[in-house]
């Protein structure tokens, strides 16, 4: 019997008494891609940070179904368990790849780091796994020993994705993964992401202000305005037939371009 | 012996504090125990950690040997030995076998040590993660959670660039399967001597205020990869004085035309070998 | 036949004899006395006491003489000597508002109760070398009416009443003791201040200066700088009441800094605090700037500049530690250097080998 991978219950976060996000509830099922959309300041990034335990919510909790079958509230996990989760079962793709990469070490080491962190001690195997992953994210194998400083923005982003996926995480958080890229580069990255998500059966929570990204990648969508979820549903349905006036506005202003 | 100071310079209160840290260090092999390091009458970075450890364990019946770079006659070794002669009046020796306490900087004696001996290391930077992560708050957490992946990232980079691991001294190792530690800037040649050693090994870092230990007969494993195992330096020629081929050699430049020779860095061991041969 | 280098011990002895000779200088010139140093190089003595963490003018003068005027070396001598002193207990906190004032200025107010007292200062002197520097004054300087009440309230206490400035923080519980427990991070303000008092004047000066130039700007005003004598009291356990055991000269600086306010705290002025033995005014001011800069965490400000980085500042402020580790590079490192030589030769051989293969 399957159960949700992640459950958000009444997540609220306030800054100086101002609402950043309030009473957010949803379930994320295995293999599902959930897009959180809204304009900047709508609270979507705060929500993502609460879900991934980068900040503590003021109220509510996040339940996560661990690999061993237990379901735990993330705030009840010890720091050791949380950090282990972050480098094995989870991935986090930052908008700025420099935040997610070690810019001072080679691409191969960037991909290999998580393997070494979980105890892999065979150089040859680490290297061939890294090569395999570079190949999967369409980076030429002969660039494995280069620093990501030499890479273009799109390559860095693909390297960051490889670095995250190498330990076969079950859940990946993405914060505007195509945000800083040119339109043509964005399209290629989205294509790649869609392929990886499908073949690996990843569960993803992706934050984006771009409804086109949401439409291409996500199965379900959650629309936020001023810290609150104002509409939620299957992506196709919401985008075809938005109910909330704000969603209607978003859809009409963006998708017709 | 200079009077006016307590035996071995430190007052008894301070020695007790250091001994408590030492006990903790022995109980948790490889764990860096913070201690309230005192200002000593020699500069920080010149062995104040080792000197405080030695001062705290020294008894009037001890025989002390002090080496720096493997030799008893190097300036800093002479200075530290003199300090203990002046403040504690203990017997000193240059012979490894006769010493009950050996304080060292940068070398482990060639002769294997016994259970009734203690080796005290002077440590400049005790934190093996320091050059990968400068923040103490973060490195403490990494040790606590056993997050040592980044150490292997460094080794991976070495192999990717040079074909093999390119760390020649202060080579990191894991103690008792738990804590990664810095064996102090000894050449990696000496790392195998730390493993399963009969003597108690104590490490003092004065400026950084840390003490750690490797108890007798404890496993010390130098970090490596299965397919790039740890290995030590080798020389193409034997020691020019004693003919040894199994010891760590120093290079001596003889003239300005590139002529050089190699001799043992452990001067006591070399002298013994020469006497034996004669 | 090569013989291994010997004679380290003799060389060291000879070097130290030579040092003694150099220290004395030309024997035809009268030897400087420590009393002269104590009386005439007072600011050097003050600095050595402050950074040496030991209030003893005579010992500081001896140290300065022995160190040939190298103040960091003198501080080092004092610290090493301090190590051997037994600790009898802690004095009760000194009360700087009861200070017997010799100098007291505020840059924030034109006038305040007690007034501005310039006292002995280099301020407003023209920095012209005085070649005829016989400084014996013709007559004692008139310092004001004899009945002038030299105890005066602290300036920041005067504006504190209005709530415009944060209360001077009173930490609950006993302050820590840096010399008895190793510093751990994050460090609370009590330990940060202890670190800063011992910290190198030049280092803190540069850091304080950097905050003024925009690296962690905090808009300081010199609320008050006061220098004078305060009583030191001690409560012996067996007596159970406080007795005055002496008096020390200190300089105290309280900076007033802007603060935008944060969650639950309305905008108000905040404080930076500096203290030194004797008259180390530059040190006290720099310390106050750095103290304020280091309060980013507690005031929920963004950390952007070196002066706000607690681990960076506190780990590198101590000049005895710094000088030891920098100068330890003079010690022999030839075992490690040999290891590097061997490695480098091997890497180069391999690189050449690879090149040859490529050429074949």
């Amino acid at each position: 019997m399957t159960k949700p991978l992640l459950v958000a219950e009444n997540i609220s976060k306030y800054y100086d008494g101002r609402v950043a996000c309030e009473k957010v509830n949803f379930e994320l099922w295995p293999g599902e891609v959930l897009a959180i959309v809204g304009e900047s300041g709508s609270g979507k990034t705060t929500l993502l940070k609460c879900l991934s335990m980068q900040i503590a919510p003021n109220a509510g909790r996040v339940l996560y179904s661990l690999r061993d079958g237990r379901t735990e509230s993330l705030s009840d996990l010890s720091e050791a368990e949380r950090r282990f989760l972050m480098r094995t079962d989870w991935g986090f793709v930052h908008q700025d790849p420099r935040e997610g990469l070690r810019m001072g070490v080679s691409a191969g080491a960037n991909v290999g780091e998580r393997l070494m962190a979980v105890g892999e001690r065979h150089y040859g195997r680490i290297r061939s796994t890294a090569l395999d992953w570079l190949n999967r994210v369409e980076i030429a194998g002969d660039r494995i020993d280069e620093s990501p400083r030499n890479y273009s923005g799109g390559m860095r982003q693909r390297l960051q994705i490889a670095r995250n996926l190498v330990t076969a995480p079950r859940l990946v958080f993405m914060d505007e993964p195509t945000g800083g890229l040119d339109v043509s580069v964005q399209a290629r990255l989205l294509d790649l992401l869609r392929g990886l998500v499908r073949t690996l059966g990843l569960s993803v929570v992706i934050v984006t202000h771009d409804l086109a990204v949401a439409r291409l990648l996500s199965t379900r969508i959650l629309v936020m305005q001023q810290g609150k979820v104002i509409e939620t549903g299957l992506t196709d349905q919401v985008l075809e037939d938005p109910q909330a006036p704000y969603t209607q506005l978003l859809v009409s202003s963006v998708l017709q371009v | 012996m200079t009077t006016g100071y307590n035996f071995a310079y430190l007052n008894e209160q301070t020695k007790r504090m250091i001994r408590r840290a030492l006990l903790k260090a022995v109980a948790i092999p490889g764990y860096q125990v913070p201690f309230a390091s005192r200002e000593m009458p020699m500069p920080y970075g010149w062995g104040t950690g080792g000197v405080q450890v030695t001062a705290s364990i020294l008894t009037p019946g001890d025989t002390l040997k002090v080496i720096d770079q493997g030799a008893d006659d190097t300036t800093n070794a002479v200075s530290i030995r003199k300090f203990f002669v002046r403040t504690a009046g203990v017997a000193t020796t240059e012979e490894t076998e006769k010493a009950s306490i050996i304080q060292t900087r940068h070398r482990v004696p060639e002769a294997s040590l016994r259970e009734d001996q203690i080796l005290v290391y002077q440590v400049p930077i005790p934190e093996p993660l320091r050059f990968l992560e400068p923040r103490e708050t973060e490195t403490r957490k990494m040790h606590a959670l056993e997050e040592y992946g980044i150490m292997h990232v460094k080794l991976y980079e070495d192999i990717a660039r040079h074909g093999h691991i390119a760390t020649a001294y202060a080579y990191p190792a894991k103690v008792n399967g738990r804590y990664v530690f810095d064996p102090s800037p000894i050449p990696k040649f000496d790392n195998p001597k730390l493993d399963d050693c009969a003597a108690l090994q104590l490490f003092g870092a004065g400026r950084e205020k840390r003490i750690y230990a490797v108890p007798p007969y404890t496993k010390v494993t130098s970090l490596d990869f299965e397919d790039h195992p740890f290995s030590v330096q080798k020389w193409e020629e034997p020691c020019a004085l004693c003919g040894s081929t199994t010891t760590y050699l120093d290079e001596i430049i003889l003239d300005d035309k590139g002529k050089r020779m190699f001799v043992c860095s452990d001067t006591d061991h070399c002298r013994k070998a020469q006497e034996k041969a004669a | 036949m090569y013989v291994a280098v010997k004679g380290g011990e003799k060389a060291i002895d000879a070097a130290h004899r030579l040092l003694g000779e150099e220290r004395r200088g030309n024997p035809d010139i009268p030897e400087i006395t420590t009393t002269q140093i104590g009386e005439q190089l007072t600011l050097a003595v003050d600095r050595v006491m402050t950074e040496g963490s030991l209030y003893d003018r005579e010992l500081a003068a001896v140290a300065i003489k022995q160190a040939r005027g190298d103040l960091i070396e003198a501080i080092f001598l004092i610290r090493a000597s301090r190590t051997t002193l037994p600790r009898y207990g802690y004095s009760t906190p000194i009360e700087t508002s009861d200070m017997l004032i010799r100098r007291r200025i505020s840059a924030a107010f034109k006038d305040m109760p007690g007034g501005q007292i310039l006292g002995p200062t280099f301020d407003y002197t023209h920095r012209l070398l005085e070649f005829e520097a016989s400084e014996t004054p013709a007559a004692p300087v008139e310092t004001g009416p004899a009945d002038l009440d030299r105890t005066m309230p602290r300036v920041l206490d005067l504006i504190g009443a209005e709530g415009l400035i944060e209360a001077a923080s009173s930490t609950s519980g006993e302050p820590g003791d840096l010399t008895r427990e190793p510093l751990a991070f994050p460090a609370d303000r009590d330990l940060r201040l202890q670190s800063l008092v011992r910290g190198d004047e030049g280092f803190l000066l540069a850091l304080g200066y950097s905050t003024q130039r925009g690296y962690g700007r905090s808009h300081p005003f010199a609320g008050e700088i006061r220098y004078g004598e305060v009583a030191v009291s001690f409560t012996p356990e067996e007596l159970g009441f406080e007795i005055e055991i002496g008096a020390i000269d200190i300089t105290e600086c309280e900076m007033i800094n802007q603060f935008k306010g944060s969650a639950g705290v309305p905008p108000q002025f905040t404080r930076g605090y500096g203290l030194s033995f004797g008259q180390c005014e530059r040190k006290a001011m720099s310390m106050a700037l750095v103290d304020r800069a280091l309060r980013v965490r507690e005031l929920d400000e963004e950390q952007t500049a070196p002066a706000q980085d607690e681990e960076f500042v506190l780990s590198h402020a101590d000049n005895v530690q710094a000088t030891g580790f920098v100068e330890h590079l003079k010690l022999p490192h030839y075992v490690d250097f040999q290891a590097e030589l061997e490695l480098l030769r091997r890497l180069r051989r391999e690189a050449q080998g690879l090149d040859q293969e490529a050429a074949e």
Side-chain angles (χ1 to χ4, degrees), chain B residues 43-46 124-125 207-208, chain C residues 320-329:
Chain B
Y44 280 118
W46 298 51
I125 306 267
R207 194 177 38 77
E208 300 277 340
Chain C
V320 177
Q321 289 174 12
T323 198
F325 203 48
V326 167
E327 295 194 45
H328 110 284
L329 294 172

Side-chain angles (χ1 to χ4, degrees), chain A residues 79-81 83-84 87 102 104-109 112-113 116-117 119-127 130 144-145, chain B residues 132-133 138 141-142 144-157 159-161 174 223-228:
Chain A
E79 182 161 18
E81 289 174 304
R83 283 172 77 128
F84 185 74
R87 59 174 197 258
R102 253 182 227 290
V105 306
S106 69
E113 179 172 355
M116 294 182 251
E120 174 61 88
R121 293 291 176 266
H122 191 283
Y123 175 81
R125 276 202 299 270
I126 293 166
R127 199 162 169 86
I144 186 170
D145 292 331
Chain B
L132 303 165
E133 170 54 60
E138 184 60 21
K141 207 172 273 178
M142 290 161 83
L145 302 178
E146 244 183 304
E147 283 184 8
Y148 293 134
I150 187 156
M151 295 298 296
H152 274 86
V153 169
K154 155 92 176 61
L155 301 182
Y156 171 96
E157 288 287 270
I159 301 173
R161 186 165 308 141
K174 199 173 228 185
L223 302 187
D224 62 2
F225 286 105
E226 289 158 22
D227 48 343
H228 286 267

